[in-house]
Amino acid sequence: MELSHKRQTKGIMDGPAEECGVIGIYSPDCDADIASLSYLALYALQHRGQQSAGICVSGEDGFESQRGLGLVTDVFEKEDLAEMSGNLALGHVRYSTTGSEKMINAQPLLTSSIKGDLALALNGNIINHSELRSNLEERGAIFHSDLDTEVIAHLTAHSFSDDPVEALVESLHKLKGAFSLVAMTENRLVAARDSRGFRPLILGKREDTYILASETCAFDILEAEKLREIEPGELIVIDGSGIQSRFYREQCQSSFCSFEFIYFARPDSIIGGQNVRLARKKMGWNLSQEAEIDGDIVVPVPSSGISAGLGFSEESGLPYKQGILQNKYIGRSFVMPTENIRDLQVRAKLNPISSIINDSRVILIDDSIVRGTTSRQIIKMLRSAGAREVHMGVSSPAVAYPCYYGMDTSRRQQLIAAEKSREEIREHIGADSLTYLSRKGLLAAINAADRDYCTACFDGEYPLAR
Ligand code: SF4
């Protein structure tokens, strides 16, 4: 699956870093095994973050939580989950876009104030986080983490409203940026999206249990049905009286992240009615139509280029060959100090199959190029495996601008396309040719007619000013 490659190769591969995954569950049954449901849902969202994981349950004895650094399977023990009983839960998997990789930054964040207990889990990036934090510190707030989420917690605590949900809504009005938030009081589950809806948040149902999740793949594992997406600027509250929905922001306009389709989301997830894998295949079809590449075989970079590679092959009529083997059993690795060792490290994860590659003109397909280091290493390996020519096809436009809405490319100098022309990139990665999918081809593949998308990392057209 595409997600596992990205996860396993983080640290040496040069894809964009993922953001976070969130879940929220409400069951009318206090004896529901809500912690286990949360565990499974987070397991399905693991591709969205591998640095930490956490579950918080609200039960008769208040909040109980388990959080830790690492993968979902490492953080939670069966015994821990068995002890967490209640009818409300939040869960979070994290890749840090703000805040460093340490235990204190693991979510859900638990706070307690005169308004009662509140747990928060966030996916996104609050652009005015520093300014809000400084203002709060001047007013005496003491922060324990680097998290955006803690800013929301302090804003909520400082509100004049006694009701924690209304206090939370007041705080949301002060935020600028991208956020899909799930929150929990002792007896209410809350979900909110920013007014542009950059990051996904979806509502589902399993029997009489409501589930909120970043992606529909979390519903599949729980055998839950998707009900609908939370709309940009919408807030929903779920409790014993059902679901209440309202728009806490006016004049909302969708700027959904197009990179969710290209890279972030799991291929079996459905976004806006579209299967992600199929959208990626269409990117490959469109790339094939736009590209003027002559080759013998289409080889995907596993596993990020597989769907687009299949689409390219179908449209071009050229044979699809899995000419690079992926070692699925390698976990996280250190960034090695020298280029030679780094090359060997890539080879430990991806190995070209000479009998397929040898003497062929290879069309190599990947979903994106961020820094270019991995593409260069893979092309070098293909040549040493006997490729006569290597033509690189990328199923998205060049990533030339940083993202301020939750993808970890916020420093422009990390992006090879910000500094180099297409020809310079081709030369840098050592390809015979380099073709990117056009913005038009991308938008056609994700059916952009039905809503507006953010494409700022490709064109610099930021939906929100910084
Ligand atoms: S800048 Fe790129 S990654 Fe960031 S939200 Fe927009 S499309 Fe997504």
Side-chain angles (χ1 to χ4, degrees), residues 115 154-163 166-168 170-171:
K115 300 180 214 315
H154 278 290
L155 288 171
T156 305
H158 278 74
S159 158
F160 290 115
S161 175
D162 291 334
D163 180 88
E166 292 313 312
L168 177 63
E170 211 178 287
S171 76

Side-chain angles (χ1 to χ4, degrees), residues 198-199 255-260 264 401-407 454-458 462-463:
F198 285 100
R199 300 283 154 227
S255 298
F256 188 78
C257 171
S258 57
F259 231 97
E260 290 279 349
F264 289 145
Y401 299 88
C403 174
Y404 303 110
Y405 312 131
M407 182 172 89
C454 176
T455 52
C457 48
F458 310 120
Y462 291 98

Side-chain angles (χ1 to χ4, degrees), residues 40-41 44-45 47 215-222 266 268-270:
L40 288 170
L45 296 179
H47 60 288
E215 290 183 38
T216 60
C217 58
F219 301 153
D220 296 341
I221 199 169
L222 300 180
R266 230 171 75 157
D268 52 344
S269 284
I270 308 282

Side-chain angles (χ1 to χ4, degrees), residues 177-202:
F179 56 88
S180 283
L181 177 78
V182 286
M184 182 173 79
T185 68
E186 282 160 42
N187 50 18
R188 285 177 287 179
L189 180 65
V190 182
R193 268 176 103 192
D194 67 80
S195 60
R196 292 274 176 172
F198 285 100
R199 300 283 154 227
L201 189 58
I202 305 156

Side-chain angles (χ1 to χ4, degrees), residues 105-396:
N105 288 330
Q107 298 187 47
L109 182 74
L110 275 54
T111 66
S112 195
S113 73
I114 197 161
K115 300 180 214 315
D117 292 340
L118 182 69
L120 298 160
L122 178 85
N123 172 205
N125 189 40
I126 309 300
I127 297 174
N128 60 340
H129 157 267
S130 302
E131 182 191 325
L132 291 170
R133 183 174 172 133
S134 300
N135 290 342
L136 285 160
E137 283 173 335
E138 279 167 22
R139 289 157 64 194
I142 296 169
F143 281 77
H144 300 285
S145 72
D146 307 332
L147 296 171
D148 287 2
T149 320
E150 197 176 355
V151 170
I152 303 173
H154 278 290
L155 288 171
T156 305
H158 278 74
S159 158
F160 290 115
S161 175
D162 291 334
D163 180 88
V165 174
E166 292 313 312
L168 177 63
V169 172
E170 211 178 287
S171 76
L172 298 183
H173 281 283
K174 299 189 172 78
L175 308 180
K176 195 169 145 191
F179 56 88
S180 283
L181 177 78
V182 286
M184 182 173 79
T185 68
E186 282 160 42
N187 50 18
R188 285 177 287 179
L189 180 65
V190 182
R193 268 176 103 192
D194 67 80
S195 60
R196 292 274 176 172
F198 285 100
R199 300 283 154 227
L201 189 58
I202 305 156
L203 176 65
K205 201 173 182 196
R206 180 184 193 269
E207 297 168 354
D208 48 7
T209 296
Y210 286 104
I211 300 156
L212 293 153
S214 297
E215 290 183 38
T216 60
C217 58
F219 301 153
D220 296 341
I221 199 169
L222 300 180
E223 296 184 324
E225 59 168 326
K226 175 191 171 188
L227 295 180
R228 67 179 181 87
E229 295 184 14
I230 309 303
E231 298 292 327
E234 186 184 6
L235 175 106
I236 69 165
V237 179
I238 306 175
D239 60 14
S241 57
I243 299 182
Q244 294 92 47
S245 160
R246 73 194 213 228
F247 284 86
Y248 71 96
R249 293 292 281 263
E250 290 170 359
Q251 295 178 330
C252 300
Q253 186 190 342
S254 170
S255 298
F256 188 78
C257 171
S258 57
F259 231 97
E260 290 279 349
F261 277 102
I262 297 164
Y263 170 88
F264 289 145
R266 230 171 75 157
D268 52 344
S269 284
I270 308 282
I271 301 176
Q274 297 179 77
N275 169 253
V276 170
R277 183 171 184 271
L278 192 54
R280 287 178 190 165
K281 253 182 110 174
K282 286 184 193 163
M283 291 172 209
W285 294 344
N286 294 349
L287 178 65
S288 170
Q289 285 173 357
E290 292 176 6
E292 290 173 8
I293 312 174
D294 207 7
D296 301 320
I297 54 173
V298 178
V299 175
V301 173
S303 47
S304 50
I306 285 178
S307 301
L310 280 166
F312 193 103
S313 165
E314 274 180 19
E315 183 61 24
S316 64
L318 293 171
Y320 173 87
K321 299 277 182 186
Q322 292 194 328
I324 302 174
L325 184 87
Q326 178 189 9
N327 183 343
K328 294 183 177 156
Y329 303 102
I330 291 185
R332 296 191 59 163
S333 50
F334 299 107
V335 177
M336 294 295 179
T338 66
E339 190 166 342
N340 271 350
I341 299 293
R342 279 198 295 273
D343 284 354
L344 294 177
Q345 202 178 13
V346 172
R347 198 173 267 276
K349 301 191 176 198
L350 299 175
N351 196 24
I353 300 168
S354 300
S355 53
I356 293 176
I357 301 297
N358 191 35
D359 205 29
S360 293
R361 293 175 302 161
V362 174
I363 300 177
L364 179 69
I365 304 290
D366 205 355
D367 62 355
S368 55
I369 297 178
V370 175
R371 288 174 283 273
T373 44
T374 306
S375 306
R376 191 177 66 211
Q377 287 162 325
I378 293 171
I379 289 167
K380 198 168 147 192
M381 287 193 298
L382 290 174
R383 291 201 191 282
S384 64
R388 263 196 295 139
E389 295 172 14
V390 183
H391 301 273
M392 181 93 207
V394 182
S395 60
S396 65

